[in-house]
């Protein structure tokens, strides 16, 4: 349940300047502004002292009367009957409930509705904002909403509602499934995400009422998921405030330091002077009707460059910016020439986002110049329509009366959501969703070109393989090499902006390599590689997945006979969202599911079976006089049973031993001092399966033992060690050597010995080798 703050601060009369437009200008300016609940003012401080942090000032509490006034002031036609009905239902449902900060809970839905209104959304969106918590927190059901408001509002509320009544094995799975549900609803109707962003924005504004750890968790989630989504949807004001408020909770010291540095500089005075000079020059040049705005870079934007990129404050050239808004595209480029004539442009600081828009649809000309005072500042030049798009993103479709009729224009903008969900459908692994979303929504991007001049947008760090799959899945599958700027490079070459990349294709039946999954950066490329293996290598995937899963089970000490493995896995498939064992093996084989995500549920099933079997298990008893030794070991109660020596302690003849009855693999022999054996004997479930065992009188077999030699590093050390072992005729199974600190080397050996006495003789011989410091049994 969202929570707010503890105390309210009365707000003064609104004071606004038309040429201020920052999402965080309020954070370092003394201008008091009342419109704290609006997106356009973005939490500007209500009667705040200069330099106050956002968490120190209480946002205005929105009442029903204030919401009605704002709706009327918008000048747009709204269905007030529906909105009032939604308010009445929400007010009744939340009656008697208070937020953690103390005010009535209905204040939160009202504030979210006001934010939705300020983004220019429609009546259904405002109604859904008022109702967005009733299904999650009150007895009201979706069917009740559908009957009262129709299916459209009910679907919007359902999309924002979290999955609180379903049990998940861990918090990551719950978070991923909530996000998946919301993205699925968003792919059908983007208004779901706009309402959710407004909900999160108000929660972050009032987050001081949360406990410390919850504040940090919510801030991290906001920074990693919601702010990037707001950026991808082009709602930049919301994105910047979410980042700033998250930063304030995650690194309050860094936040306060940047706020202090901004407040010490007379940035507003400088920008006002520059704006006046530019405005006069445009009028003299015949460009009429231009709107000049100014802004100071967001706190988080500066933080990323000063703290994360290790730049000094003076090395950031876009802290101050002037925005010039014009009527036509031709005027934009003419103004660019005038700006470069007036001020000295900095090299490599010009960006044309008009001809190459950002993936979120943002268009503008950016150039950085040096002012006459020697202060660098950025000039952004765009048309009015581009400015509306930058200010409101996808919400501009509703604010400027396109609404659902403009959904065709939204399809391309929201294609990434459908692509991400399709990738996840192929992946079948909910754990990948958060990782893929974060990698796909990274704000840093590169722009590369095909030989024909087509622009391909990729996240920073993407490789040539990602580039090939971004063109087409068939191009990626047939890729055998690539050229960058007519020069051959490895296929894992990291793409940089401006490179011209030519993909070299192989035969039609050429397929990708499984190793590519470890190289590619984008979820789209991973999905297409997995999809190829899923369709073209099913039998291979099944075998690969079965072998991988069996190997991991053995590593977790879960021993299942080979002929019983399919039956055991089949009994767990429903819990892993697969129809049968073959589908699970295939999904593991092509990378759709990771073994790590399967193991918790398989372990639960294994423990359940063990406890049931342990209740009825009785050990067989036989006459000891008829018992024969197997592999040099006698096990009490068994005759000629299969024996294996536990790898956890590697017992040798002469060591006191004990046996553990396994299911399907005979008896496992441990040293009596083995930590695993001691722990298992204390378990009432396993205790009956431990039996006495001892070495046979005459042992002629060879047993594997591990040794570790620490010696001074020198040439011919390995030769001397091998010669010593050859002298006493000791077989060597494995050997590994590595350098360590202090000019030493460690040699690990697996050798064959007969008993502990034999082992002691081997250790004594190796200790005499020159420069050997220590020989221990591993």
């Amino acid at each position: 349940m969202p929570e707010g703050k503890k105390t309210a601060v009365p707000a003064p009369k609104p004071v606004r300047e038309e040429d201020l437009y920052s999402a965080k200008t309020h954070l370092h300016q003394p201008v008091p502004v009342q419109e704290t609940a609006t997106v356009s003012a973005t939490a500007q401080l209500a009667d705040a002292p200069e330099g106050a942090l956002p968490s120190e000032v209480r946002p205005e509490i929105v009442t029903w009367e204030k919401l009605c006034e704002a709706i009327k002031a918008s000048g747009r036609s709204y269905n007030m009957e529906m909105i009032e009905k939604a308010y009445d239902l929400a007010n009744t449902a939340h009656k008697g409930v208070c937020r953690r900060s103390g005010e009535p809970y209905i204040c939160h839905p009202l504030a979210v509705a006001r934010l939705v209104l300020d983004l220019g959304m429609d009546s259904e969106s405002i109604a859904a904002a008022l109702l967005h918590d009733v299904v999650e927190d009150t007895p009201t059901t979706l069917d009740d909403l559908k009957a009262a408001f129709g299916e459209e509002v009910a679907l919007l509320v359902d999309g924002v509602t979290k999955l609180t009544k379903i049990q998940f094995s861990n918090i990551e799975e719950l978070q991923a499934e909530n996000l998946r549900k919301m993205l699925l609803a968003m792919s059908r109707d983007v208004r779901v995400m706009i309402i959710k962003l407004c909900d999160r924005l108000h929660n972050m504004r009032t987050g001081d009422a949360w406990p410390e750890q919850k504040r940090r968790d919510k801030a991290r989630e906001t920074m990693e998921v919601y702010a990037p989504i707001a950026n991808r949807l082009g709602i930049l004001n919301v994105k910047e405030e979410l980042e700033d408020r998250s930063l304030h909770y995650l690194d309050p010291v860094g936040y306060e330091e940047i706020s202090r540095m901004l407040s010490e500089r007379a940035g507003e005075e400088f920008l006002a002077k520059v704006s006046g000079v530019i405005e006069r020059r445009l009028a003299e040049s015949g460009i009429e009707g231009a709107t000049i705005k100014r802004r100071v870079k967001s706190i988080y934007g500066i933080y990323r460059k000063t703290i994360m990129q290790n730049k000094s404050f003076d090395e950031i050239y876009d802290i101050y910016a002037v925005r010039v808004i014009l009527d036509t595209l031709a005027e934009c480029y003419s103004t660019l020439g005038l700006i470069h004539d007036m001020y000295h442009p900095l090299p490599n600081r010009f960006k044309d986002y008009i001809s190459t828009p950002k993936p979120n649809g943002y268009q503008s000309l950016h150039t950085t110049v040096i002012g006459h005072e020697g202060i660098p500042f950025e000039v952004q030049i765009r048309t009015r329509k581009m400015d509306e798009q930058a200010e409101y993103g996808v919400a501009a479709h509703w604010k400027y009366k396109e609404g659902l009729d403009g959904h065709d224009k939204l399809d391309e903008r929201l294609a990434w959501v459908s692509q991400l969900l399709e990738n996840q459908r192929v992946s079948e692994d909910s754990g990948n969703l958060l990782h893929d979303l974060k990698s796909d929504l990274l704000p840093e991007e590169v722009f590369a070109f095909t030989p024909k001049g087509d622009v391909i947008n990729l996240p920073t760090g993407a490789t040539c393989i990602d580039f090939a799959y971004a063109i087409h899945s068939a191009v990626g599958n047939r890729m055998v090499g690539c050229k960058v700027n007519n020069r051959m490079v490895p296929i894992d070459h990291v793409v940089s902006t401006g490179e011209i990349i030519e993909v070299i294709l192989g035969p039609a039946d050429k397929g990708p390599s499984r190793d590519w999954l470890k190289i590619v950066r984008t979820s789209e490329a991973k999905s297409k590689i997995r999809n190829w293996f899923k369709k073209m290598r099913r039998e291979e995937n099944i075998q690969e997945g079965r072998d991988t899963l069996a190997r991991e089970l053995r590593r977790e000490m879960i021993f299942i006979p080979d002929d019983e493995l399919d039956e055991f896995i089949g009994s767990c498939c429903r819990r892993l969202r697969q129809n049968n064992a073959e589908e699970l093996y295939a999904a593991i084989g092509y990378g759709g599911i990771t073994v790590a995500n399967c193991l918790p549920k398989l372990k639960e099933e294994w423990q359940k079976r063990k406890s049931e079997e342990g209740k009825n298990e009785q050990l067989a008893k036989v006459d000891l006089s008829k018992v024969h030794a197997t592999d040099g070991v006698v096990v009490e109660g068994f005759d000629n049973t299969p024996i294996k020596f536990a790898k956890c302690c590697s017992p040798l003849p002469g060591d006191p031993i004990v046996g553990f009855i396994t299911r399907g693999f005979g008896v496992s022999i441990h040293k009596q001092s083995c930590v695993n054996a001691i722990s298992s004997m204390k378990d009432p479930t396993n205790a009956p399966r431990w039996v006495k065992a001892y070495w046979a009188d005459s042992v002629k077999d060879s047993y594997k033992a591990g040794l570790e030699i620490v010696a001074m590093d020198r040439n011919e050390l390995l030769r001397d060690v091998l010669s010593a072992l050859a002298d006493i005729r000791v077989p060597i199974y494995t050997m590994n050597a590595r350098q360590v600190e202090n000019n030493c080397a460690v040699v690990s050996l697996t050798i064959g010995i007969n008993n502990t006495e034999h082992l002691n003789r081997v250790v004594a011989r190796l200790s005499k080798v020159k420069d050997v410091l220590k020989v221990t049994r591993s």
Side-chain angles (χ1 to χ4, degrees), residues 753 755-767 777:
I753 59 97
N755 50 43
T756 50
E757 292 180 7
H758 186 198
L759 177 64
N760 291 336
R761 291 197 298 270
V762 173
V763 171
R765 176 68 183 84
L766 291 173
S767 299
R777 182 174 164 189

Side-chain angles (χ1 to χ4, degrees), residues 63-128:
T63 62
W64 168 245
E65 290 74 19
K66 289 181 180 179
L67 179 64
C68 291
E69 290 174 11
I71 292 174
K72 184 177 180 181
S74 71
R76 302 183 66 211
S77 175
Y78 281 100
N79 184 345
M80 287 304 299
E81 183 181 352
M82 172 194 286
I83 294 172
E84 186 170 359
K85 186 177 178 182
Y87 167 73
D88 290 338
L89 193 155
N91 193 30
T92 303
H94 294 301
K95 193 168 186 178
V97 179
C98 290
R99 306 187 79 207
R100 191 183 288 263
S101 51
E103 74 262 18
Y105 190 82
I106 191 62
C107 294
H108 170 63
L110 282 167
V112 176
R114 177 63 194 274
L115 291 169
V116 169
L117 169 69
D118 291 331
L119 284 174
M121 302 305 292
D122 54 9
S123 302
E124 288 76 14
S125 301
I126 297 174

